[in-house]
Amino acid sequence: MKKSEFIAQDLLSKIYQNSGSLPDKLPPERQLAEEYGVSRFTVRKALEKLVSIRAVHIVQGSGIYINPGVSSNPLVYNSITEKKFTEISFKMLDLHKRRPDKEEQQVFDLNTDDFIWAFTRLRRVSQRNVQIEYSRMPAREFGDLNQKTIEHSIQQYVLSKGYVISHSLTRYQAVTVSKEQAYILGCKKGMAAMHITNRGFLQGGKVYAFSDIIDIDYSCTYVIPFNQDNLAFRQK
């Protein structure tokens, strides 16, 4: 792990460890450099990470302030959410409307005579191909889905329709890149990757998107509360 990444993780750990009693500021940059035995440049890189994930904000001449509510989010950040939209771009590879299969009928609560949108897009981060995303959305609610929307933000599109996004259900599985995927991503076949399956939910429980994603540069940081009941159950 890079020193700057370790410092970012350690500072996050301290924020969560002392979420009820920690002052609203971190020590100044110079003090952090001395405590970690690194250059101020390395500390600055770590702080840039914390700023990018909205854990802190820096007021020039005043200090490094911890943002309210940062310790209440179980997903601290991942390799996508830490990036600004200006660093991310999409390219649509395919879009078509079709009947849902049995699995999709279950996910979206549809009938055999309903339609869904199915699209594939390539996600680029900092000018590098990192993700292939295959997604499905119910056509009844999102009849005007188009290339411009797919190459922008699906969540912003859903919000613009007047819906309220509630949460997502995500599963991760380590995989290797297939020959076809390697060609699209510009990497070697057999390269390690993360297969991410995600369902996005609207307020009220309806699924608005069901996605399968292959990511060759995925990392994430979570905070997981200790569950005594789960531990007891697993020990039986």
Side-chain angles (χ1 to χ4, degrees):
M1 183 183 294
K2 293 181 178 179
K3 288 183 179 180
S4 61
E5 182 66 31
F6 171 81
I7 294 169
Q9 291 277 323
D10 196 57
L11 289 174
L12 277 173
S13 176
K14 288 177 169 58
I15 290 172
Y16 276 84
Q17 283 174 268
N18 303 284
S19 59
S21 58
L22 193 73
D24 62 351
K25 292 172 66 176
L26 291 179
E29 189 179 289
R30 184 185 298 277
Q31 181 179 332
L32 290 173
E34 292 175 357
E35 290 179 359
Y36 286 103
V38 298
S39 68
R40 293 182 66 175
F41 174 79
T42 300
V43 168
R44 201 168 296 125
K45 295 296 289 185
L47 292 175
E48 286 175 3
K49 164 84 78 170
L50 298 186
V51 170
S52 71
I53 63 174
R54 295 166 296 283
V56 304
H57 66 279
I58 300 173
V59 179
Q60 294 298 327
S62 179
I64 308 160
Y65 290 87
I66 299 169
N67 289 331
V70 64
S71 61
S72 63
N73 186 2
L75 172 60
V76 182
Y77 68 92
N78 64 29
S79 49
I80 294 300
T81 60
E82 69 176 308
K83 301 293 185 181
K84 295 182 179 179
F85 281 116
T86 53
E87 300 175 86
I88 302 172
S89 63
F90 293 98
K91 179 182 179 181
M92 190 185 79
L93 304 179
D94 178 64
L95 170 65
H96 62 277
K97 186 184 291 187
R98 61 170 173 79
R99 302 289 187 183
D101 60 25
K102 288 185 178 180
E103 182 181 74
E104 292 157 348
Q105 290 174 42
Q106 290 289 337
V107 170
F108 294 112
D109 192 22
L110 299 175
N111 299 315
T112 54
D113 57 349
D114 287 316
F115 283 94
I116 63 167
W117 289 111
F119 63 87
T120 306
R121 61 179 181 172
L122 176 68
R123 189 195 303 255
R124 293 171 54 83
V125 177
S126 301
Q127 305 301 313
R128 179 170 173 247
N129 297 342
V130 296
Q131 279 189 2
I132 302 171
E133 176 186 338
Y134 174 63
S135 292
R136 287 134 288 177
M137 299 179 69
R140 187 184 336 176
E141 287 80 3
F142 306 105
D144 60 350
L145 185 68
N146 55 43
Q147 181 175 353
K148 183 179 179 180
T149 297
I150 291 169
E151 293 185 346
H152 184 51
S153 168
I154 295 298
Q155 290 182 332
Q156 191 60 51
Y157 166 69
V158 171
L159 293 173
S160 73
K161 307 289 284 184
Y163 294 107
V164 177
I165 297 175
S166 171
H167 60 283
S168 60
L169 177 65
T170 309
R171 177 178 181 270
Y172 305 94
Q173 182 178 0
V175 295
T176 57
V177 174
S178 69
K179 181 178 179 180
E180 179 182 359
Q181 293 163 351
Y183 176 77
I184 296 172
L185 291 167
C187 65
K188 292 183 179 180
K189 175 187 175 183
M191 182 177 179
M194 187 68 73
H195 178 197
I196 306 167
T197 304
N198 186 69
R199 301 185 191 202
F201 291 85
L202 301 174
Q203 193 173 70
K206 188 174 181 60
V207 176
Y208 70 87
F210 181 35
S211 303
D212 282 285
I213 299 167
I214 298 295
D215 193 320
I216 60 172
D217 187 28
Y218 187 80
S219 63
C220 64
T221 296
Y222 284 94
V223 173
I224 304 175
F226 176 64
N227 189 325
Q228 179 68 51
D229 293 337
N230 179 262
L231 176 64
F233 174 79
R234 292 169 61 201
Q235 290 176 327
K236 291 180 181 178

